[in-house]
Amino acid sequence: MPIFRPSFPPALALWVAVFGFLGCATGAPPASIVPGASVSLAAQSASREQTADQQVHHVLNRLAFGARPGDVNAVRALGVDAWIDRQLYPERIQDASIEQFAASFTTLGKTGEQLLADYPPPAAKLAQLQRKGGTLSAADSVALKKQGRDSYAFLGELASSRVARAVMSERQLNEVMVDFWENHFNVFAGKERTRYFLPEYDTQTIRPHALGTFRELLGAVAKSPAMLYYLDNWQSVADSGRPTLRTAPRAVNARQAARRAAAVQQRVAQNPQLQQLMQRRRGLNENYARELMELHTLGVDGGFTQQDVIEVARALTGWTIARGLQGGGFAFRGEVHDAGAKTILGKSFAANKGIEEGEAVLDMLASHPSTAKFIATKLARRFVSDTPPAALVERATDTFRRTNGDIRAVVRTIVTSPEFFASASYRAKVKSPFELVTSTLRAMNAQPDATPRTMQLVSRLGQPIFGHQAPNGYPETGDAWMNTGAILNRINFGLAAASGRVPGIRLAAWPLTAQLASTAREAQVDGVLKELFGGAVSSDTRQVLLTGTNPFLQQHGGASDSLLVADDDTTMMGGMAGEDRKQAASERRAERQPAAQQQKMAGREAVKPERAGSLTQLIGTLPSLTGFAQIVGLALGAPEFQRR
């Protein structure tokens, strides 16, 4: 089919004019809300500006990853407030289907130590082969390449399970909170051996505490091998000359000591990775301490200084991984802990304290007023508006402090507030790529996908799972996800879903298809709009679906193609350059590989997203859509579906 490459006016003005895409609400609170006022649930319900139907769609888009067929009626029958209360207690919700499906990912239950033993990094395998002496054989080279692929498979399974849980789980709010906290406490899979610790980070650190207390969550993160390794605290020890809690050394036979030293030297000489580690400066490492205060607790304006960062880093020396590069759980090493006196945020810490000193620091940070406001603001931004109302943040902050950081209570304060149900909050948030993919799969009643293809769609739309390199995580505001290429990729994705190019989605199996297949186009449009949007869309969107012609495209030459390619997209479908054509062919071959092989390739893509192909290479050349499929594809790419 022909390819249309539109040229956009500055700031996407035409898109805004036609669809109002970026006209997100500011989230100003209703005039009737007084800061700090205590409002009963009945009074809150009475003050809600959204209609009853809007409230149903709103909670399914904010406290869940969108509605599956039948969810709107189920929430309406149960009642919005009862549904919210049910979601706030995920442990009471049966979720056997997703647990059974997740069990097919055999590496999810393994610790980093087990994964390092089962799938050692290629460098470790190379060192093992070199210790045997001689040169590497062809068979050795093949084994090394296989080892490299195998060492990424579990990451592909983890990312795939994240998508599957968001799509299938009945505990939707819990999945939203897992997504929120794994972004708040971001860990990048691409840093050396960090990926080995991510499965247990997801299952043992974040999930059990997603709706618990902030202090327990903070402590679990601080002691997790994933965070210890990612931000280097596992190597942080007291600077030379500082007092430690060193125990009396055991008597060691001189001959034994010499043999051990020689063995260590030999291992280092044969392992480049160990050489690199030995060359690193031994001493205090401030990385985790800084991010602990700036990103995890107090916030950048939380009132701490560089000296506070140093003092916190000193308090956390000796917090490490039991077996270092080989993994293991959390361990405290008193012999490398800085045992000197410290002053943190104006509070004195006496000398000669051990692990309890670090615990006291976490206590202090978790209960600090700046932390309460920082976390309340981020949660309000996630659930209500990119610019959350100050009065709501104040009430959520008060709840955090009053309940000692009870996450469930803070979330309840936010999601039952008049600001949450204000007209200005309805469809005021732009979906992230993860939210877009999972909401599309849920809307289309997709079957679970055991391959990594849906996870790769999230990545190609701009949000590789565990692929954000900096510790600040992905943005929670809509402007970060909106540019020319991103908008066109989202349109393409919606059309791909209707074309059968998204795993798990079969338009013929969608409940609405049988009902509307033989009806007139106008009835089909109305049926799709009611199912996906409750019938409430702009007149422009409805006209696009009725005519199958996008005015946006007409402004750029009258084309009505079902696949667009942005100027900043390197792929030109149908007329690809040689390297692009090879990449697309490689993608098609990958689809035919066994699921286990696909997970290995996808895991490597998550670690090095810059080496991945484009979205258009992943979904292939789409057919020109007509009829009901065209309506569905255009609806999934409509501005209203990009919002939540």
Side-chain angles (χ1 to χ4, degrees):
M1 62 178 287
I3 300 305
F4 180 72
R5 296 176 61 84
S7 174
F8 287 83
L12 308 177
L14 184 59
W15 177 269
V16 176
V18 176
F19 292 111
F21 189 91
L22 299 179
C24 296
T26 61
S32 60
I33 301 304
V34 179
S38 177
V39 186
S40 69
L41 184 59
Q44 286 180 333
S45 298
S47 67
R48 292 173 183 173
E49 296 179 347
Q50 293 175 16
T51 67
D53 277 349
Q54 284 178 332
Q55 290 178 43
V56 171
H57 286 276
H58 190 57
V59 296
L60 285 167
N61 278 319
R62 296 293 178 89
L63 311 188
F65 289 101
R68 293 185 76 99
D71 280 356
V72 169
N73 289 336
V75 174
R76 186 180 291 125
L78 182 63
V80 167
D81 292 292
W83 184 84
I84 291 174
D85 188 70
R86 182 172 182 265
Q87 287 294 320
L88 282 166
Y89 294 91
E91 65 275 10
R92 302 176 184 174
I93 302 174
Q94 292 296 321
D95 214 13
S97 295
I98 184 56
E99 294 305 328
Q100 183 177 1
F101 180 77
S104 65
F105 298 117
T106 57
T107 60
L108 288 187
K110 294 189 175 184
T111 65
E113 184 175 15
Q114 291 171 319
L115 291 171
L116 281 162
D118 294 345
Y119 311 100
K125 184 71 173 179
L126 177 62
Q128 184 183 48
L129 292 171
Q130 288 176 334
R131 282 197 293 272
K132 296 178 181 180
T135 58
L136 294 180
S137 66
D140 289 336
S141 297
V142 171
L144 278 174
K145 290 180 180 180
K146 181 180 184 301
Q147 191 69 43
R149 291 191 296 269
D150 291 348
S151 71
Y152 291 95
F154 55 84
L155 184 58
E157 289 197 345
L158 173 60
S160 295
S161 75
R162 279 281 316 278
V163 175
R165 287 184 183 278
V167 172
M168 293 179 61
S169 178
E170 297 296 326
R171 302 169 178 173
Q172 279 290 290
L173 178 56
N174 196 63
E175 291 305 314
V176 170
M177 293 305 298
V178 168
D179 184 54
F180 174 82
W181 290 123
E182 289 189 356
N183 195 53
H184 178 79
F185 295 108
N186 181 61
V187 172
F188 175 49
K191 180 178 178 179
E192 300 167 0
R193 299 191 180 194
T194 304
R195 66 185 184 277
Y196 287 91
F197 305 112
L198 285 174
E200 63 180 301
Y201 187 65
D202 176 82
T203 59
Q204 299 178 25
T205 301
I206 301 297
R207 288 186 177 279
H209 303 289
L211 280 166
T213 70
F214 183 74
R215 172 61 181 89
E216 290 176 350
L217 174 59
L218 184 67
V221 170
K223 294 179 179 179
S224 67
M227 189 61 72
L228 287 166
Y229 193 93
Y230 171 54
L231 291 180
D232 303 309
N233 205 79
W234 73 284
Q235 297 183 102
S236 185
V237 300
D239 279 331
S240 177
R242 301 293 306 173
T244 67
L245 301 178
R246 185 180 300 278
T247 56
R250 293 181 298 170
V252 179
N253 181 281
R255 184 175 298 176
Q256 289 179 334
R259 283 201 300 267
R260 290 178 184 175
V264 169
Q265 290 177 358
Q266 183 179 14
R267 287 180 60 194
V268 171
Q270 295 175 340
N271 191 328
Q273 192 166 17
L274 282 179
Q275 292 173 20
Q276 184 179 7
L277 287 172
M278 294 294 288
Q279 290 170 0
R280 291 178 180 174
R281 175 181 175 270
R282 292 284 290 174
L284 193 67
N285 190 298
E286 301 170 12
N287 289 351
Y288 175 62
R290 178 175 294 101
E291 310 310 348
L292 171 63
M293 290 193 284
E294 180 177 325
L295 298 177
H296 297 174
T297 57
L298 305 176
V300 67
D301 298 319
F304 65 91
T305 66
Q306 172 58 25
Q307 188 58 40
D308 288 320
V309 171
I310 294 172
E311 298 290 270
V312 169
R314 289 176 58 211
L316 294 174
T317 47
W319 286 47
T320 189
I321 302 170
R323 298 184 61 232
L325 286 173
Q326 277 65 53
F330 170 78
F332 175 72
R333 307 290 190 202
E335 65 272 20
V336 296
H337 174 67
D338 187 326
K342 306 168 184 73
T343 300
I344 303 171
L345 297 175
K347 180 179 179 179
S348 297
F349 289 77
N352 299 316
K353 300 297 181 181
I355 189 173
E356 68 274 16
E357 182 175 63
E359 297 284 4
V361 169
L362 295 181
D363 289 341
M364 179 175 65
L365 293 175
S367 61
H368 197 281
S370 293
T371 298
K373 184 175 182 179
F374 183 61
I375 299 301
T377 301
K378 288 196 69 172
L379 285 169
R381 184 177 297 121
R382 174 64 180 244
F383 286 110
V384 179
S385 167
D386 286 1
T387 54
L392 175 61
V393 171
E394 183 179 339
R395 297 199 304 278
T397 300
D398 179 68
T399 299
F400 188 103
R401 299 187 65 182
R402 179 168 42 82
T403 62
N404 295 317
D406 186 326
I407 299 168
R408 190 187 338 261
V410 177
V411 172
R412 184 189 293 277
T413 295
I414 293 170
V415 303
T416 59
S417 69
E419 292 93 339
F420 178 78
F421 287 108
S423 297
S425 297
Y426 191 64
R427 292 180 185 162
K429 294 283 294 180
V430 174
K431 294 177 183 177
S432 69
F434 185 85
E435 291 165 338
L436 176 63
V437 172
T438 53
S439 63
T440 300
L441 293 168
R442 285 177 61 80
M444 299 307 295
N445 205 32
Q447 297 304 301
D449 177 25
T451 77
R453 306 301 285 176
T454 51
M455 174 269 284
Q456 288 176 301
L457 287 168
V458 177
S459 177
R460 304 296 174 88
L461 284 165
Q463 192 182 13
I465 300 173
F466 296 113
H468 189 78
Q469 186 169 358
N472 60 345
Y474 288 108
E476 287 282 2
T477 55
D479 55 349
W481 302 116
M482 288 296 100
N483 56 55
T484 302
I487 291 172
L488 292 178
N489 274 337
R490 285 168 180 246
I491 295 173
N492 291 346
F493 172 69
L495 295 163
S499 301
R501 297 296 174 86
V502 175
I505 295 179
R506 291 183 59 244
L507 189 58
W510 195 36
L512 205 64
T513 302
Q515 299 175 29
L516 299 176
S518 59
T519 62
R521 186 175 182 101
E522 185 171 1
Q524 291 178 340
V525 168
D526 290 339
V528 169
L529 292 180
K530 182 179 180 181
E531 176 69 20
L532 296 181
F533 309 108
V537 297
S538 70
S539 58
D540 294 312
T541 293
R542 190 172 189 276
Q543 188 65 19
V544 167
L545 270 60
L546 281 172
T547 63
T549 301
N550 192 322
F552 182 77
L553 301 182
Q554 284 189 320
Q555 292 288 332
H556 294 80
S560 59
D561 302 276
S562 64
L563 180 64
L564 311 178
V565 180
D567 288 333
D568 52 1
D569 191 331
T570 58
T571 303
M572 301 193 304
M573 298 299 298
M576 298 180 188
E579 290 303 314
D580 293 329
R581 194 182 300 277
K582 291 178 183 178
Q583 176 71 20
S586 176
E587 300 281 3
R588 291 193 295 273
R589 288 194 299 272
E591 290 183 16
R592 297 190 291 270
Q593 295 288 337
Q597 184 67 19
Q598 291 186 47
Q599 294 291 4
K600 296 173 186 178
M601 298 168 65
R604 190 168 183 83
E605 178 178 320
V607 169
K608 299 180 179 180
E610 70 278 1
R611 297 187 180 180
S614 67
L615 175 72
T616 45
Q617 288 169 336
L618 185 65
I619 62 179
T621 304
L622 302 181
S624 295
L625 297 179
T626 59
F628 186 65
Q630 183 191 62
I631 294 171
V632 173
L634 290 171
L636 293 174
E640 288 88 348
F641 197 80
Q642 309 309 309
R643 297 173 177 174
R644 60 177 178 88

